[in-house]
Amino acid sequence: MAVKRIGILTGGGDAPGLNAVIRAVVKSAFNAGITCLGIEDSFDGLLETDRSRELTPRDVTGILRLGGTILGTINTGDPSAGLVATSEGPRVYSERVVEIFHRMGLDALVVIGGDGTLGIAHHFGKAGIPIVGVPKTIDNDIVGTVNCFGFDTAVSFATDAIDRLHTTAEAHRRILVVEVMGRDAGWIALWAGVAGGADAILIPEIPFDICLVAERLKERDKWGAKFSIVVAAEGAFPKGGSQSLIEAAHDAQLERLGGIGAKVCEALARETGKQTRSVVLGHLQRGGAPTSFDRVLATRFGAQAVEFIRRGQFGVMVASAPPDIVGRPLEEIVGKTKTVPLDSDLLLTARALGVTFGD
Ligand code: F6P
């Protein structure tokens, strides 16, 4: 069956490059004679028939360089099992989504999201919606793809922040602790830490001992480098301890991580006797214009998603396998996390340069 009409939605936390994917999907679909419907606020936009709009190339002109998503997104876990209020009374969420998908005459759905959203998409794929997934996360922790768009932008921003902190750290001979995002994987901390010349990098994959971190920083003092930069992923935690939470998980909301930077800052002041300060980069890492790398990757993902749809290849996620963009079965990637391998080249390179991971 020739595909004539597709939907596109964005789910989970936003990442620079979402709009670039939307633009690429809309333009490639249009040029292939396929109508594209933009669905608002992730799968919630498929609870009613009036929460979507047709997107033409005119509608996506100029959005390539914009952060955020013109479709809106939500980040509230997996709602697909429960009941939901609709204009036609309470309905089972997942049944309603499938019903509205068919009522709107859609043939396929492009879902741009992280592990959680792709897991929900996989569920709807099994319920009869032809799905093509596009991986998105600044954390770069989706398995099966070497890169996710948004990661490069986040790393560039964090590196710039570390550069700025370096000068003030050196001027005051202080230890500056920078908390970056990275829930279960330390990719942003590792890359930005190496790019910014950090002296300690704390990641969720390696529980740290603060005394070992302090020892290494005190050694720097001895040979004359009287300032230090520590980069901590928000998901990093001490040996025998647990992740630092701002808010525990509740209802469909995931737990909110944060605060490890401040704790490390306090502990290092105690252990080293030096002045310390901490900074949380937080959602600044998710905002702003995507880098050229992320724009290109997002554009390639979007075009390839439409290509898979044209070939009738569903239940797949587009993925970066340099130099190619390939398809990976959704069932092979959902529910998994791509963490930093402890023998990865970049981690070993950092160690070789004397960077401590607190182990
Ligand atoms: O998944 C990406 C991410 O940036 C995580 O590193 C972070 O824990 C989470 O998003 C925060 O998302 P939000 O504040 O939107 O719930």
Side-chain angles (χ1 to χ4, degrees):
M1 178 201 73
V3 170
K4 285 276 157 227
R5 193 172 156 85
I6 63 172
I8 179 169
L9 62 82
T10 52
D14 68 337
L18 282 170
N19 282 323
V21 180
I22 296 169
R23 171 181 174 272
V25 167
V26 169
K27 289 197 169 197
S28 318
F30 183 86
N31 291 332
I34 298 170
T35 301
C36 192
L37 236 63
I39 295 158
E40 292 168 9
D41 303 331
S42 190
F43 288 98
D44 279 10
L46 282 171
L47 293 174
E48 305 290 346
T49 50
D50 61 357
R51 290 184 65 178
S52 46
R53 59 189 188 272
E54 190 176 322
L55 295 175
T56 66
R58 181 73 193 89
D59 300 303
V60 294
T61 296
I63 69 169
L64 174 63
R65 65 184 183 280
L66 300 183
T69 160
I70 61 165
L71 296 176
T73 185
I74 52 171
N75 199 7
T76 46
D78 183 357
S80 59
L83 277 181
V84 64
T86 76
S87 56
E88 294 166 309
R91 293 282 192 277
V92 175
Y93 190 105
S94 53
E95 290 171 6
R96 176 74 173 181
V97 164
V98 176
E99 180 195 331
I100 297 294
F101 173 85
H102 291 302
R103 232 198 262 176
M104 295 203 315
L106 292 169
D107 300 313
L109 191 61
V110 176
V111 176
I112 315 169
D115 175 50
T117 305
L118 293 175
I120 302 170
H122 183 47
H123 165 87
F124 286 123
K126 287 189 282 188
I129 296 183
I131 301 275
V132 173
V134 178
K136 165 269 5 161
T137 166
I138 65 163
D139 291 355
N140 203 32
D141 60 358
I142 298 179
V143 300
T145 183
V146 172
N147 295 297
C148 288
F149 63 87
F151 173 67
D152 186 64
T153 307
V155 168
S156 300
F157 175 81
T159 303
D160 182 48
I162 294 168
D163 286 350
R164 288 164 188 260
L165 293 169
H166 244 120
T167 55
T168 178
E170 188 163 11
H172 286 269
R173 302 177 172 210
R174 285 172 172 159
I175 296 171
L176 257 293
V177 182
V178 191
E179 181 180 310
V180 298
M181 281 188 169
R183 175 173 280 276
D184 303 307
W187 295 105
I188 296 178
L190 179 61
W191 277 69
V194 171
D199 308 294
I201 300 175
L202 308 179
I203 59 177
E205 293 85 346
I206 307 177
F208 63 85
D209 178 340
I210 200 68
C211 296
L212 295 179
V213 178
E215 278 315 308
R216 184 64 58 86
L217 303 190
K218 283 195 279 188
E219 279 167 24
R220 283 175 52 78
D221 256 49
K222 278 187 206 136
W223 57 259
K226 298 197 178 295
F227 67 96
S228 293
I229 299 285
V230 178
V231 178
E234 62 181 351
F237 58 95
K239 265 183 201 151
S242 55
Q243 288 184 322
S244 182
L245 298 190
I246 292 177
E247 195 181 349
H250 59 89
D251 309 314
Q253 179 75 52
L254 289 176
E255 63 197 1
R256 290 179 59 210
L257 298 182
I260 190 63
K263 288 179 184 167
V264 166
C265 180
E266 206 185 304
L268 286 177
R270 205 173 48 239
E271 295 294 329
T272 63
K274 291 180 70 73
Q275 280 195 346
T276 62
R277 297 288 186 269
S278 70
V279 176
V280 181
L281 299 187
H283 293 78
L284 290 167
Q285 295 158 97
R286 297 221 310 237
T291 59
S292 53
F293 180 88
D294 281 338
R295 294 180 200 194
V296 171
L297 183 63
T299 299
R300 294 176 75 200
F301 276 173
Q304 189 60 43
V306 172
E307 185 53 32
F308 282 141
I309 287 172
R310 291 180 68 185
R311 290 191 219 149
Q313 213 174 318
F314 298 114
V316 292
M317 175 190 86
V318 297
S320 151
D324 301 316
I325 302 294
V326 299
R328 305 266 188 234
L330 277 173
E331 66 194 4
E332 284 179 15
I333 63 107
V334 296
K336 298 177 186 159
T337 305
K338 185 182 74 180
T339 52
V340 176
L342 298 186
D343 60 351
S344 66
D345 171 70
L346 190 55
L347 198 142
L348 297 180
T349 298
R351 285 196 195 278
L353 266 67
V355 175
T356 178
F357 290 82
D359 60 338

